Amino acid sequence: MADLDLGYCYSFPAVRGIQAGRPFFIAICPLRIVTKIFSFDEEEVPAELRAQRTLNKSRIPEMAKYLLDNPKDYIFSALTASIGSDITFEESKNPSLGVLHVPMDSQILINDGQHRRAAIEEALREKPDLGHDNIAVLFFIDEGLKRSQQMFADLNKYAVKPSPSLSTLYDHRDPSSEVARHLAMSIKPFVGMTEMEKSSVSSISNKLFTLSSIKQSTRALLGKGAKDEFSHEEKALAEAYWLAVYDNMPDWQMAHDKTVAPAQLRQEFIHAHGLGLHSLGMLGKHLIYEHPDDWQNQLSKLKKVDWRKANPEWVKRCMVHGKLSKSSAALQLTCNGLKNIIGLPLTPEEREAEQQITT
């Protein structure tokens, strides 16, 4: 914990190590002093004179909300910072353990973690008690702008965002992810047919759907936003809808019974792609609204759909140069095509979109 009374220095319990011949220190810092001692480059400074990206302020509220919503269950990874002045390390009996003394007038620059720092600052305004928690800080000695810029580049070089499907599989706080996992693991259209890790299905895969496409399609079905909660009734409706769709999709049933290869379906039909599933979700929202008492019966008309990619109706709606388009326009036009087959009215915006492909 920082000690402001020790010779005009900040003092941190720390572990000393060596990396690439340079010393570094792992320290524990209370959240309440993070915003006081760590600075970052001002956004007005040109990029070539900074060692950090410009702070994206739009990210801060969501990160702060994460802290505030999960005060007993949040995890923030370590900050990385450079100290721009002489420091001393007071060794204990174990020379790797001790106390790191940092002059209070030092410039301590965050190399990685400026958004976490800003989120901590915002969260503490609403919940000061969080200030007693700690965060790990990896301290390096500042060796100038060029070295700091290289550190930033190296720290971010191999950072890869997890796929949407893997995020859906592991995110136990997100309501729509929880619904998607339940559907993928418990109802017949999706059990055994869902790619749980990747967000695309390979050409030789025996899966038909991705977990992320089930999440997106079910949100479209229920008209839900990214952070919306789901009632028990809505979860039951989603389950009933996808089961009813399955009952009217002979190709899905054949894939499930292993009488046709999913790869063959993906090669020839749009219903074996995320776009097809998503458009069925969008269709369901309108169908249930227009036919609240007999929407299941209306779905029998899906058996009349010619799902071939070569079908001229789909070629003009969702195919571009022989490939399936993933654009929002293609998705809407595909849903429009299904609404026409089922006999559902189009909205003024949907009719306007239809005019663009008929002229």
Side-chain angles (χ1 to χ4, degrees):
M1 181 174 181
D3 182 356
L4 303 182
D5 298 323
L6 187 61
Y8 304 101
C9 286
Y10 296 114
S11 299
F12 303 95
V15 177
R16 179 174 59 186
I18 299 294
Q19 195 171 81
R22 295 179 170 89
F24 69 93
F25 305 89
I26 304 171
I28 302 300
C29 181
L31 295 187
R32 65 179 180 275
I33 71 167
V34 162
T35 58
K36 296 177 182 176
I37 66 171
F38 292 112
S39 62
F40 55 89
D41 288 340
E42 297 296 334
E43 59 187 41
E44 292 79 8
V45 178
E48 62 271 25
L49 299 179
R50 283 189 266 117
Q52 181 62 275
R53 76 187 90 196
T54 302
L55 188 70
N56 182 351
K57 295 180 180 177
S58 65
R59 293 178 56 191
I60 307 307
E62 185 176 5
M63 295 174 70
K65 186 175 185 300
Y66 163 73
L67 280 176
L68 294 168
D69 290 348
N70 303 282
K72 302 296 184 185
D73 195 29
Y74 74 89
I75 297 177
F76 258 19
S77 57
L79 307 176
T80 301
S82 293
I83 305 172
S85 63
D86 293 335
I87 52 118
T88 58
F89 182 68
E90 183 181 345
E91 296 179 359
S92 65
K93 292 181 180 178
N94 183 332
S96 295
L97 304 178
V99 179
L100 179 68
H101 300 295
V102 180
M104 295 183 71
D105 59 354
S106 298
Q107 182 185 33
I108 306 177
L109 180 71
I110 291 184
N111 302 106
D112 182 53
Q114 61 168 337
H115 291 91
R116 273 164 277 159
R117 171 206 170 277
I120 290 169
E121 184 175 31
E122 185 166 316
L124 288 179
R125 291 194 196 102
E126 190 168 333
K127 195 174 181 60
D129 288 350
L130 283 173
H132 298 291
D133 283 6
N134 297 302
I135 189 168
V137 182
L138 190 60
F139 283 112
F140 287 88
I141 307 301
D142 193 337
E143 298 180 24
L145 180 62
K146 185 176 179 180
R147 171 64 180 166
S148 292
Q149 290 176 336
Q150 189 61 57
M151 287 174 63
F152 174 82
D154 291 349
L155 286 168
N156 289 280
K157 183 175 295 183
Y158 301 111
V160 178
K161 189 175 182 180
S163 71
S165 281
L166 193 60
S167 296
T168 300
L169 183 62
Y170 290 164
D171 191 346
H172 296 274
R173 293 194 178 97
D174 177 38
S176 56
S177 293
E178 186 268 333
V179 172
R181 285 193 303 273
H182 168 73
L183 294 171
M185 296 177 184
S186 63
I187 67 169
K188 199 165 188 178
F190 306 127
V191 170
M193 305 303 293
T194 301
E195 167 57 59
M196 305 295 275
E197 181 169 354
K198 301 174 182 175
S199 290
S200 61
V201 181
S202 74
S203 59
I204 59 172
S205 174
N206 61 353
K207 309 298 183 187
L208 262 186
F209 315 101
T210 65
L211 185 59
S212 58
S213 69
I214 294 173
K215 180 169 80 170
Q216 293 170 348
S217 304
T218 303
R219 284 202 331 223
L221 166 66
L222 299 174
K224 292 292 185 176
K227 301 298 181 183
D228 289 346
E229 299 283 345
F230 293 74
S231 67
H232 292 298
E233 291 76 14
E234 289 170 331
K235 293 176 184 176
L237 177 59
E239 195 171 317
Y241 178 75
W242 291 121
L243 282 169
V245 169
Y246 177 80
D247 288 341
N248 292 284
M249 300 291 282
D251 287 342
W252 287 9
Q253 296 170 26
M254 291 170 63
H256 197 277
D257 295 339
K258 301 187 185 308
T259 56
V260 66
Q264 183 180 346
L265 294 183
R266 279 195 303 281
Q267 190 171 4
E268 298 183 23
F269 304 105
I270 69 168
H271 62 44
H273 293 266
L275 176 131
L277 188 69
H278 200 155
S279 61
L280 282 166
M282 295 169 67
L283 170 74
K285 178 184 175 184
H286 298 282
L287 177 62
I288 294 170
Y289 177 79
E290 295 287 343
H291 296 274
D293 299 323
D294 69 335
W295 57 265
Q296 293 95 335
N297 296 333
Q298 297 293 324
L299 281 175
S300 64
K301 298 173 184 175
L302 288 178
K303 292 179 179 176
K304 299 187 302 182
V305 177
D306 177 358
W307 293 98
R308 290 176 304 117
K309 293 179 180 177
N311 178 356
E313 194 64 25
W314 304 131
V315 169
K316 66 182 180 182
R317 292 177 183 276
C318 58
M319 299 295 291
V320 178
H321 304 305
K323 294 185 177 180
L324 207 59
S325 171
K326 299 178 181 177
S327 70
S328 57
L331 185 59
Q332 184 60 65
L333 288 170
T334 305
C335 177
N336 288 359
L338 293 175
K339 290 179 74 173
N340 290 335
I341 294 169
I342 298 291
L344 295 175
L346 300 181
T347 66
E349 293 78 14
E350 290 167 348
R351 287 198 295 271
E352 185 177 342
E354 289 293 296
Q355 291 176 356
Q356 294 177 8
I357 60 172
T358 55
T359 55

